[in-house]
PDB file of all heavy atoms in Angstrom:
ATOM      1  N   LEU A 275      12.460 127.186 123.701  1.00 92.00           N
ATOM      2  CA  LEU A 275      12.235 127.334 122.267  1.00 92.00           C
ATOM      3  C   LEU A 275      10.925 126.674 121.858  1.00 92.00           C
ATOM      4  O   LEU A 275      10.154 127.235 121.063  1.00 92.00           O
ATOM      5  CB  LEU A 275      13.405 126.729 121.491  1.00 92.00           C
ATOM      6  CG  LEU A 275      13.285 126.749 119.967  1.00 92.00           C
ATOM      7  CD1 LEU A 275      13.195 128.175 119.450  1.00 92.00           C
ATOM      8  CD2 LEU A 275      14.466 126.024 119.326  1.00 92.00           C
ATOM      9  N   GLN A 276      10.657 125.507 122.389  1.00 94.00           N
ATOM     10  CA  GLN A 276       9.407 124.828 122.067  1.00 94.00           C
ATOM     11  C   GLN A 276       8.199 125.628 122.563  1.00 94.00           C
ATOM     12  O   GLN A 276       7.168 125.679 121.887  1.00 94.00           O
ATOM     13  CB  GLN A 276       9.396 123.430 122.685  1.00 94.00           C
ATOM     14  CG  GLN A 276      10.462 122.504 122.134  1.00 94.00           C
ATOM     15  CD  GLN A 276      10.382 121.112 122.736  1.00 94.00           C
ATOM     16  OE1 GLN A 276       9.311 120.637 123.089  1.00 94.00           O
ATOM     17  NE2 GLN A 276      11.518 120.455 122.867  1.00 94.00           N
ATOM     18  N   LYS A 277       8.346 126.234 123.718  1.00 92.00           N
ATOM     19  CA  LYS A 277       7.261 127.065 124.255  1.00 92.00           C
ATOM     20  C   LYS A 277       6.990 128.258 123.343  1.00 92.00           C
ATOM     21  O   LYS A 277       5.822 128.606 123.093  1.00 92.00           O
ATOM     22  CB  LYS A 277       7.637 127.546 125.655  1.00 92.00           C
ATOM     23  CG  LYS A 277       6.485 128.118 126.455  1.00 92.00           C
ATOM     24  CD  LYS A 277       5.532 127.045 126.903  1.00 92.00           C
ATOM     25  CE  LYS A 277       4.437 127.611 127.786  1.00 92.00           C
ATOM     26  NZ  LYS A 277       3.458 126.570 128.182  1.00 92.00           N
ATOM     27  N   ALA A 278       8.055 128.868 122.841  1.00 92.00           N
ATOM     28  CA  ALA A 278       7.881 130.012 121.950  1.00 92.00           C
ATOM     29  C   ALA A 278       7.253 129.604 120.619  1.00 92.00           C
ATOM     30  O   ALA A 278       6.510 130.378 120.010  1.00 92.00           O
ATOM     31  CB  ALA A 278       9.227 130.707 121.718  1.00 92.00           C
ATOM     32  N   LEU A 279       7.552 128.381 120.169  1.00 94.00           N
ATOM     33  CA  LEU A 279       7.046 127.910 118.873  1.00 94.00           C
ATOM     34  C   LEU A 279       5.688 127.221 118.984  1.00 94.00           C
ATOM     35  O   LEU A 279       5.159 126.791 117.952  1.00 94.00           O
ATOM     36  CB  LEU A 279       8.048 126.932 118.254  1.00 94.00           C
ATOM     37  CG  LEU A 279       9.387 127.513 117.795  1.00 94.00           C
ATOM     38  CD1 LEU A 279      10.294 126.398 117.283  1.00 94.00           C
ATOM     39  CD2 LEU A 279       9.180 128.552 116.700  1.00 94.00           C
ATOM     40  N   MET A 280       5.140 127.094 120.174  1.00 93.00           N
ATOM     41  CA  MET A 280       3.907 126.334 120.355  1.00 93.00           C
ATOM     42  C   MET A 280       2.760 126.791 119.449  1.00 93.00           C
ATOM     43  O   MET A 280       2.101 125.950 118.811  1.00 93.00           O
ATOM     44  CB  MET A 280       3.476 126.387 121.820  1.00 93.00           C
ATOM     45  CG  MET A 280       2.203 125.582 122.116  1.00 93.00           C
ATOM     46  SD  MET A 280       2.392 123.822 121.754  1.00 93.00           S
ATOM     47  CE  MET A 280       3.508 123.352 123.075  1.00 93.00           C
ATOM     48  N   PRO A 281       2.474 128.094 119.314  1.00 92.00           N
ATOM     49  CA  PRO A 281       1.384 128.486 118.406  1.00 92.00           C
ATOM     50  C   PRO A 281       1.624 128.055 116.963  1.00 92.00           C
ATOM     51  O   PRO A 281       0.696 127.631 116.269  1.00 92.00           O
ATOM     52  CB  PRO A 281       1.351 130.024 118.532  1.00 92.00           C
ATOM     53  CG  PRO A 281       1.980 130.313 119.854  1.00 92.00           C
ATOM     54  CD  PRO A 281       3.032 129.265 120.030  1.00 92.00           C
ATOM     55  N   VAL A 282       2.881 128.141 116.506  1.00 94.00           N
ATOM     56  CA  VAL A 282       3.203 127.734 115.135  1.00 94.00           C
ATOM     57  C   VAL A 282       3.040 126.225 114.975  1.00 94.00           C
ATOM     58  O   VAL A 282       2.521 125.747 113.959  1.00 94.00           O
ATOM     59  CB  VAL A 282       4.636 128.169 114.782  1.00 94.00           C
ATOM     60  CG1 VAL A 282       4.984 127.742 113.368  1.00 94.00           C
ATOM     61  CG2 VAL A 282       4.790 129.674 114.932  1.00 94.00           C
ATOM     62  N   LEU A 283       3.468 125.468 115.986  1.00 95.00           N
ATOM     63  CA  LEU A 283       3.344 124.012 115.921  1.00 95.00           C
ATOM     64  C   LEU A 283       1.882 123.582 115.919  1.00 95.00           C
ATOM     65  O   LEU A 283       1.487 122.666 115.180  1.00 95.00           O
ATOM     66  CB  LEU A 283       4.082 123.370 117.091  1.00 95.00           C
ATOM     67  CG  LEU A 283       5.593 123.630 117.173  1.00 95.00           C
ATOM     68  CD1 LEU A 283       6.200 122.884 118.354  1.00 95.00           C
ATOM     69  CD2 LEU A 283       6.289 123.232 115.884  1.00 95.00           C
ATOM     70  N   LEU A 284       1.066 124.231 116.720  1.00 92.00           N
ATOM     71  CA  LEU A 284      -0.361 123.910 116.742  1.00 92.00           C
ATOM     72  C   LEU A 284      -1.010 124.224 115.393  1.00 92.00           C
ATOM     73  O   LEU A 284      -1.847 123.464 114.902  1.00 92.00           O
ATOM     74  CB  LEU A 284      -1.060 124.688 117.862  1.00 92.00           C
ATOM     75  CG  LEU A 284      -0.701 124.297 119.291  1.00 92.00           C
ATOM     76  CD1 LEU A 284      -1.414 125.199 120.287  1.00 92.00           C
ATOM     77  CD2 LEU A 284      -1.052 122.835 119.566  1.00 92.00           C
ATOM     78  N   GLN A 285      -0.608 125.322 114.801  1.00 92.00           N
ATOM     79  CA  GLN A 285      -1.147 125.682 113.489  1.00 92.00           C
ATOM     80  C   GLN A 285      -0.712 124.668 112.429  1.00 92.00           C
ATOM     81  O   GLN A 285      -1.500 124.274 111.557  1.00 92.00           O
ATOM     82  CB  GLN A 285      -0.679 127.083 113.107  1.00 92.00           C
ATOM     83  CG  GLN A 285      -1.262 127.590 111.790  1.00 92.00           C
ATOM     84  CD  GLN A 285      -0.777 128.985 111.454  1.00 92.00           C
ATOM     85  OE1 GLN A 285       0.051 129.549 112.167  1.00 92.00           O
ATOM     86  NE2 GLN A 285      -1.278 129.531 110.371  1.00 92.00           N
ATOM     87  N   GLY A 286       0.552 124.238 112.507  1.00 93.00           N
ATOM     88  CA  GLY A 286       1.029 123.240 111.562  1.00 93.00           C
ATOM     89  C   GLY A 286       0.325 121.903 111.723  1.00 93.00           C
ATOM     90  O   GLY A 286       0.000 121.233 110.725  1.00 93.00           O
ATOM     91  N   GLN A 287       0.066 121.495 112.952  1.00 93.00           N
ATOM     92  CA  GLN A 287      -0.680 120.259 113.180  1.00 93.00           C
ATOM     93  C   GLN A 287      -2.090 120.360 112.630  1.00 93.00           C
ATOM     94  O   GLN A 287      -2.605 119.407 112.023  1.00 93.00           O
ATOM     95  CB  GLN A 287      -0.726 119.932 114.670  1.00 93.00           C
ATOM     96  CG  GLN A 287       0.473 119.164 115.160  1.00 93.00           C
ATOM     97  CD  GLN A 287       0.298 118.679 116.587  1.00 93.00           C
ATOM     98  OE1 GLN A 287      -0.775 118.767 117.155  1.00 93.00           O
ATOM     99  NE2 GLN A 287       1.369 118.188 117.162  1.00 93.00           N
TER     100      GLN A 287
END
Side-chain angles (χ1 to χ4, degrees):
L275 177 61
Q276 296 182 31
K277 194 72 176 177
L279 292 177
M280 182 61 71
V282 179
L283 299 182
L284 292 177
Q285 184 180 4
Q287 274 189 9

